[in-house]
Amino acid sequence: MGKQKVIVTVAPTGGMASKKQNPNLPTQPQEIAEDVYRCYNAGASVVALHARRAQDDEATCDPAVYGEMNTLIREKCDIVLNNSTGGGINGDMVHQLNNGLWEINFEQRIKGMQAPGVEMCTLDAQTICASFGDKEILVPTTPTRIRKLAEGMMERGIKPEWEVFSLSDIVQEVNKAIAAGFDKPPYFINIVLGVNAFQGALPYTPKILQQMVDHLPKDVVFNVSAIGAAQLPATTQAVLMGGHVRVGLEDNLMYEPGVQATNLMLVERMVRIIRELGYEPATPTEAREIMGLPPLK
């Protein structure tokens, strides 16, 4: 028997961090493509992409920007392309409501699945309030919006990546969506822990992660992401539990205290851990088979 394969997703940019926080953060299509290619060569088989505007590096879901990124990456390698429908906390993505709260614009979010070449998209099946400085930002993904996102992905042949931040996200919204036929097995669920800025999101502890995995529905391929210093222990536990992992500057800007990370450093460390534990990083072809994606043409 061959070694069990672990999908390593790299999340190079995200929709929140800036180069002021870590100058290694890639934000424009060419530098993102180059960074992703380095991570692919190190063992990453999926890339979770966020787009940024050319003029100021702030967040967007502009299909043209995603399309440029997807094209540049695909010219270099066969890594699985996963575009965000979450967007970010500034730029094109936010507007202020009359009551003083801010909101991430849903009509902008759905543009993330309109770019050519996309194979997967994030689907955040919950409504949250995110706090950043003096801003409280609503991210309302109501049942109707979950349906609209899921149906749009099904029409385009895109695999949803269900992002969950708490146990209720799994046992309520994701289970309801699966029962309603909004996805086909195997279902890909990304458990994200330690997002302190999100109201209702759970921190990482070994018991919390175990509890969330214990409540996953049948026919699930699960992935674990965690923020900051929690990234290393949470992803290591995920491998031991038979899951898959996400690393990258979207989630963690530091390699260790006092040392700023690069995406390559985080991927290389994760691959070393996977191999030390007796597993092997999946190739993009193997990742597509595990997640039920069609082969790349």
Side-chain angles (χ1 to χ4, degrees), residues 112-173:
M113 59 181 170
Q114 296 172 358
V118 59
E119 299 174 81
M120 301 179 70
C121 278
T122 54
L123 204 165
D124 295 9
Q126 66 287 119
T127 292
I128 59 174
C129 181
S131 298
F132 293 93
D134 59 354
K135 277 187 180 180
E136 290 183 333
I137 306 173
L138 297 175
V139 192
T141 313
T142 63
T144 299
R145 289 180 171 185
I146 291 171
R147 182 186 185 104
K148 185 171 182 178
L149 284 167
E151 289 179 340
M153 292 179 197
M154 291 182 75
E155 289 170 2
R156 294 171 171 82
I158 295 169
K159 184 75 176 176
E161 177 206 302
W162 300 93
E163 287 209 341
V164 297
F165 303 95
S166 69
L167 182 58
S168 63
D169 295 344
I170 297 172
V171 299
Q172 289 186 298
E173 300 309 328

Side-chain angles (χ1 to χ4, degrees), residues 84-134:
S84 173
T85 63
I89 61 169
N90 51 31
D92 295 341
M93 303 309 303
V94 296
H95 62 271
Q96 192 168 22
L97 305 175
N98 292 334
N99 60 9
L101 293 173
W102 292 76
E103 183 181 49
I104 295 184
N105 190 316
F106 183 73
E107 296 306 317
Q108 292 294 324
R109 289 172 58 192
I110 61 176
K111 293 180 180 179
M113 59 181 170
Q114 296 172 358
V118 59
E119 299 174 81
M120 301 179 70
C121 278
T122 54
L123 204 165
D124 295 9
Q126 66 287 119
T127 292
I128 59 174
C129 181
S131 298
F132 293 93
D134 59 354

Side-chain angles (χ1 to χ4, degrees), residues 11-33:
T13 306
M16 302 178 190
S18 70
K19 285 182 179 291
K20 291 180 180 179
Q21 295 169 287
N22 184 330
N24 299 316
L25 186 80
T27 55
Q28 295 304 308
Q30 186 64 52
E31 62 177 342
I32 290 172

